[in-house]
Every structure is written in structure tokens, then in C-alpha cells.
Amino acid sequence: MHRRSFIMLGLSGVLVSCAVEVTGTGEPGEAPMPLDVRAEIGLRIAPVPLKLENADPYLVGIGSYYVNAASACVDCHSCPTYSPGESPFTGGRGRLDAAHYLGGGVPMGTNLKAPSLAPDANGLPGGLTRDQFLSAMRTGKDPNDPNRILQLMPWSLYRAMAEGDLVAMYEYLRVIPAAQPGTCTGPGQ
């Protein structure tokens, strides 16, 4: 076998190893874990009861992992974010306010409020179809006004996510309870 073949074979082995174990648990000193553990973690950390009938629990778990552990959606889309006395910024444990979870209403400046991501009366997260949600996440265009770019939404980062991960986020949002905003004065309260 030629030297080039050995190098390619070695690179293939490295790529396979990386594909199997890519993410870490976040705990110091712990080894990386297989990707499918995200779904288990996502289901465990969901702060509200999930309506899993007619849903793929694996996909919902992955979506929860991104919404609750990686994307900080609650900071801008839950008003308030934390249950009373639970803000980790003031010594609390970080328990999310389930009653207003992703119900929107967080003031963003003088004239803007973050929209709800919770399902509407038709079961659509934030009133958006899957295609509208994916488009907003990819382009930053307001689904209600395509000439307006969502300035505060970090779509410029989310647009690089794999489509399957964005679909998982949407599927998670479909199975959470409906919610209305409570009272808050800004993100992350």
C-alpha cells in the first residue's frame, strides 16, 4: 500500500471517531458523549409537560436540547424567564417560569416585544408553519412583514444550523403547552 493510502485510511478513522463522539457533557474531566444523548438530556430538562402523542420523542428531545440548553430562547421569549427567587443571577437554582414559558412579551426597547414561541390555537409555534419558522431562522425576515429583518433575533447564528436541528426545534415547540406573557421589564428576568 502506498504512503498516501495509509494517510487517507488514517484520516478516515479520525473522521469516524469524531462523528461518533462530538459533543461533551459540559462537566470538567468527562469524556465526550454520543450525539444521541442530546435527546435524552433534552427530554429531561424540558421545564413543562410535553404532549408527545403523534410526536417523535427523539426529535422532540433534540429540539428541547437546542431550545433549553444551547440557544437561550427563554431569555427573550419568556416573560418572566425564571420562577420567583430562581434567577441564577441572584443566587437561585435557575428554575424556569413554566406558566409563561416561551409565551413572549419580553420588552425589547420602547416599541418591541418578543413574540410567543408557544403553540397557538391551531398548534403552530408562534403561529408559524414549519416553513415560515425555517425561513425566519435562516433569513431573519419577519414572517408577518417580509420587508422587515428581525434585528434582535440571533438568526444570523441559527442560519448555520443543520436543517434537521431547526426542524427538531420546531417539533419541540409544537408539543409544549400554550402560554401567555407575564410581567417583566427585560430579557432574562
Side-chain angles (χ1 to χ4, degrees):
M1 208 179 256
H2 294 92
R3 182 175 194 271
R4 185 176 184 170
S5 297
F6 281 119
I7 292 172
M8 293 306 289
L9 183 61
L11 284 174
S12 297
V14 168
L15 290 175
V16 168
S17 295
C18 289
V20 173
E21 295 184 351
V22 181
T23 65
T25 62
E27 296 296 322
E30 287 191 9
M33 62 185 167
L35 292 176
D36 60 2
V37 173
R38 295 174 302 166
E40 181 183 328
I41 292 170
L43 291 172
R44 187 176 66 240
I45 65 173
V48 293
L50 305 176
K51 301 173 195 161
L52 291 174
E53 312 79 46
N54 303 316
D56 177 346
Y58 177 78
L59 199 58
V60 167
I62 295 290
S64 173
Y65 181 83
Y66 283 118
V67 168
N68 294 306
S71 297
C73 299
V74 296
D75 281 346
C76 294
H77 294 279
S78 293
C79 178
T81 302
Y82 301 101
S83 295
E86 290 291 331
S87 173
F89 303 107
T90 58
R93 294 178 50 209
R95 187 170 306 144
L96 298 176
D97 181 38
H100 304 103
Y101 179 70
L102 298 178
V106 178
M108 301 289 193
T110 55
N111 297 324
L112 294 174
K113 287 194 177 196
S116 173
L117 296 180
D120 66 6
N122 297 315
L124 299 175
L128 303 176
T129 66
R130 186 167 87 171
D131 288 342
Q132 289 172 320
F133 177 82
L134 293 175
S135 176
M137 295 293 273
R138 293 261 188 247
T139 68
K141 291 183 180 179
D142 184 334
N144 299 313
D145 180 0
N147 294 317
R148 184 174 157 261
I149 296 294
L150 302 168
Q151 296 294 324
L152 300 176
M153 172 69 182
W155 62 270
S156 59
L157 300 173
Y158 300 146
R159 69 182 174 169
M161 291 179 72
E163 183 158 334
D165 292 335
L166 293 174
V167 167
M169 290 171 74
Y170 183 82
E171 291 301 312
Y172 170 72
L173 295 172
R174 281 185 349 97
V175 302
I176 65 174
Q180 297 297 315
T183 304
C184 63
T185 58
Q189 292 184 337

